[in-house]
Amino acid sequence: MMNKKYRAALIYSPSGMGPYDGELQTFHDNFGVLPSLSLGYVGAILENEGWICKYFDVIPHGYTAETLAKAVKSFKPDLLCFTAYTYHFHENRYWIKLLREATSVPSLVGGMHMGLYPRETFAYNELDYGLIGEAESNLPQFLEAFINKDGWKNVPGLIWRDKKEVVINPPSRAPFEIDSCPYPARHLWPNEKYYTFASVLRNFTPLITSRGCPFRCIFCEQGNKKFRPHSPEYTVEEISICNEKFGINEFDFFDSSFTVQRNRVFEISELMLKRNIKIVWSARSRVDSVDYDLLMAMHNCGCYRIYFGIESGDSEVLRRMKKGTDLDKIRQTIEDCKKIGIETLGFFMIGCPGDTHETVRKTLKFSLELGLDFAQYNGVRALPGTELYDMVLPEQNEDYWREYIKNPGKNNFIARAECNLTQTEINNYCRKGFFNFYFRPSYLWRRLKRLRSWEELRKYSKAAIDIVVKG
């Protein structure tokens, strides 16, 4: 039991666009404003350990560098908490350095990135501590060591400095009961300020009902990681708390694929109906992990949109990406959603292994034929820790992301695996896809007829103008 009340500032910093990003600037600018679920879990763990927390979200709070530094300093924290992403590391580091210097308070950084390039990351002195792995597995031990100023060697997955030497403790391999995780500390968030380009209600929140993914798509960081779902009871209780305590009426399930376990989704749907929870929600799924009956059950308890990773309209490209599905199944699933009344968004990737001008044109044509409600076209981005990145390394002749962490000025494009399209060609195809999809007269008329609020009209109009002006 600690006598002093320790205080932690949770800082979620914005990320802009880099030349290595797969999405277009227009989509990035209009996607929406979301909280950090990772920091939400960190905040919950900290509060369970008796810490006082405050969440500083740069975009919805409207902070500048100067006002953020002032606000964090006035909170008088004992620890600054951040999450870092490999592909935005130097933007993340800018905010860490800014607040580290403004407060003279040590920093703690988490995220998947920390397990990829820990030594290169800790070449920067503004990072004091890092944690590899899930916060539930080691954050409590770290907090104990932090308070006692001792026991650093006993914290699994801790990156720290013993005098000037960077030490990386082995991460924990011990499993933990996933339903023992506290819910994200949403009471720290400005829930009324969050939304996505496609959301329809406020308040809005993302949530995750599982971790890992059993599928083997070569471009995904979650690919082939052990699937660990929360129980239906845990999931529905989280939804109920969000709805009753925070007035959250719309949810977006951020699981890599919410429908991996068919029976679990049926149970979640039945529990929501039994508890008379009146919300709307969306989820991410694969076309081959749903069927008509499951879609109907989801729709009956508030599911109004599903995001499907379709990726390509060419069978050989899908095979190379290890999607494990086919074009006929894609068509059938989208048609089932239309019959039931579930909106669909299809993700499409340009620059996949095997992509040529011909296959990309097939993908763009396929995206128009499916009858989707929304489509997103991204250039392929080879992320560290994926099979796709392993395929790129021989062509790149270096570990690009390792060199990027070491060199803030590095911004040349990553090589494409088994694809000779240039980045300019890929960007142009993405722009063409967006323009051809969203500016069809039939599509515009259909969307106008289905508008549910003035906010929807404002968001769609702004995105449309940006597509025309910015491309």
Side-chain angles (χ1 to χ4, degrees):
M1 189 75 177
M2 58 185 183
N3 295 321
K4 174 185 172 179
K5 280 287 185 180
Y6 284 83
R7 302 164 75 88
L10 312 173
I11 300 104
Y12 189 36
S13 57
S15 296
M17 287 285 291
Y20 38 80
D21 274 296
E23 62 193 26
L24 295 180
Q25 184 71 51
T26 299
F27 188 83
H28 180 274
D29 292 346
N30 289 280
F31 181 77
V33 179
L34 294 170
S36 168
L37 281 167
S38 297
L39 289 175
Y41 285 110
V42 167
I45 296 167
L46 282 159
E47 289 188 334
N48 282 354
E49 297 294 321
W51 285 56
I52 299 170
C53 297
K54 189 168 182 179
Y55 182 75
F56 299 86
D57 198 336
V58 173
I59 293 178
H61 285 132
Y63 288 122
T64 64
E66 182 180 354
T67 59
L68 176 64
K70 184 177 180 180
V72 173
K73 192 172 182 179
S74 67
F75 177 60
K76 297 182 180 179
D78 299 286
L79 186 65
L80 306 173
C81 299
F82 303 85
T83 188
Y85 302 91
T86 302
Y87 36 93
H88 292 303
F89 172 70
H90 292 294
E91 290 174 279
N92 299 151
R93 188 173 67 82
Y94 164 82
W95 295 95
I96 298 170
K97 181 178 176 65
L98 169 78
L99 296 172
R100 183 70 177 82
E101 292 177 351
T103 63
S104 299
V105 170
S107 63
L108 171 66
V109 185
M112 188 178 294
H113 166 76
M114 304 311 296
L116 295 171
Y117 303 109
R119 291 200 180 278
E120 291 78 8
T121 298
F122 267 68
Y124 301 97
N125 290 326
E126 54 266 28
L127 283 81
D128 295 291
Y129 304 102
L131 285 176
I132 300 171
E134 295 165 306
E136 293 87 356
S137 68
N138 52 17
L139 181 54
Q141 296 98 310
F142 167 79
L143 297 176
E144 182 179 357
F146 183 85
I147 291 167
N148 295 330
K149 307 300 179 189
D150 191 21
W152 307 111
K153 294 180 180 179
N154 300 323
V155 181
L158 177 63
I159 311 168
W160 56 292
R161 291 184 174 86
D162 188 357
K163 298 179 181 176
K164 292 186 178 181
E165 180 186 356
V166 174
V167 180
I168 304 171
N169 295 350
S172 173
R173 302 298 180 191
F176 60 86
E177 173 52 50
I178 192 166
D179 275 4
S180 68
C181 302
Y183 298 123
R186 288 185 174 87
H187 59 281
L188 300 175
W189 294 350
N191 293 291
E192 72 284 356
K193 294 182 182 290
Y194 296 123
Y195 66 93
T196 70
F197 77 100
S199 59
V200 296
L201 297 178
R202 303 282 184 103
N203 293 346
F204 166 89
T205 195
L207 77 163
I208 293 178
T209 77
S210 63
R211 303 186 189 185
C213 181
F215 299 102
R216 303 178 64 91
C217 304
I218 66 173
F219 53 86
C220 181
E221 296 168 290
Q222 293 296 314
N224 204 31
K225 287 185 170 58
K226 184 179 180 181
F227 180 69
R228 295 175 299 148
H230 286 296
S231 67
E233 293 78 11
Y234 177 101
T235 298
V236 175
E237 180 64 17
E238 179 175 3
I239 294 169
S240 178
I241 290 170
C242 289
N243 184 237
E244 293 177 6
K245 285 192 175 182
F246 308 120
I248 294 171
N249 297 302
E250 179 165 358
F251 296 76
D252 191 351
F253 293 4
F254 266 37
D255 308 51
S256 294
S257 183
F258 174 66
T259 55
V260 168
Q261 290 182 346
R262 186 173 184 269
N263 289 339
R264 186 180 80 105
V265 179
F266 271 118
E267 289 182 46
I268 290 171
S269 302
E270 290 167 3
L271 274 174
M272 288 173 66
L273 290 174
K274 185 177 180 180
R275 296 181 61 167
N276 197 31
I277 298 174
K278 303 292 188 182
I279 61 164
V280 299
W281 54 280
S282 55
R284 284 142 186 76
S285 179
R286 291 171 55 95
V287 297
D288 57 354
S289 65
V290 294
D291 54 50
Y292 190 90
D293 290 342
L294 184 60
L295 291 168
M296 182 61 77
M298 293 166 65
H299 182 59
N300 287 341
C301 67
C303 178
Y304 77 102
R305 181 182 299 123
I306 300 180
Y307 300 79
F308 289 109
I310 298 172
E311 320 311 357
S312 178
D314 183 84
S315 298
E316 175 60 18
V317 172
L318 289 174
R319 186 191 68 78
R320 293 197 191 191
M321 298 288 274
K322 296 186 178 178
K323 282 297 296 181
T325 189
D326 59 62
L327 302 181
D328 286 339
K329 179 58 179 173
I330 294 169
R331 293 187 184 98
Q332 183 61 58
T333 296
I334 302 304
E335 185 61 30
D336 286 345
C337 288
K338 288 165 64 177
K339 289 178 182 176
I340 292 169
I342 296 176
E343 291 185 347
T344 53
L345 182 149
F347 293 108
F348 297 91
M349 302 178 72
I350 311 299
C352 306
D355 253 342
T356 63
H357 291 286
E358 180 184 359
T359 64
V360 172
R361 285 192 287 267
K362 285 174 64 176
T363 295
L364 298 186
K365 184 172 182 288
F366 187 58
S367 71
L368 297 177
E369 295 170 348
L370 287 172
L372 296 162
D373 294 282
F374 300 92
Q376 180 181 335
Y377 305 87
N378 288 338
V380 173
R381 179 171 59 180
L383 299 174
T386 65
E387 183 178 344
L388 180 61
Y389 188 57
D390 292 339
M391 294 167 62
V392 163
L393 286 174
E395 299 183 39
Q396 187 73 28
N397 295 320
E398 65 175 356
D399 187 332
Y400 173 89
W401 291 112
R402 186 184 303 278
E403 296 307 312
Y404 165 73
I405 299 302
K406 292 162 61 175
N407 177 11
K410 187 176 182 61
N411 60 7
N412 58 299
F413 292 109
I414 302 174
R416 302 285 169 188
E418 302 173 15
C419 175
N420 293 323
L421 297 176
T422 67
Q423 188 62 42
T424 298
E425 290 169 334
I426 289 169
N427 288 344
N428 286 339
Y429 276 125
C430 289
R431 292 187 185 96
K432 182 178 180 180
F434 276 113
F435 195 88
N436 288 351
F437 186 93
Y438 288 104
F439 285 90
R440 292 171 291 165
S442 59
Y443 177 83
L444 291 171
W445 177 240
R446 190 167 78 247
R447 292 312 311 171
L448 284 171
K449 288 195 299 182
R450 298 177 67 174
L451 284 174
R452 283 158 286 203
S453 68
W454 285 106
E455 183 178 0
E456 270 193 279
L457 178 60
R458 179 193 62 79
K459 288 189 294 186
Y460 296 159
S461 299
K462 181 181 181 300
I465 292 168
D466 282 354
I467 289 174
V468 173
V469 174
K470 299 178 182 178

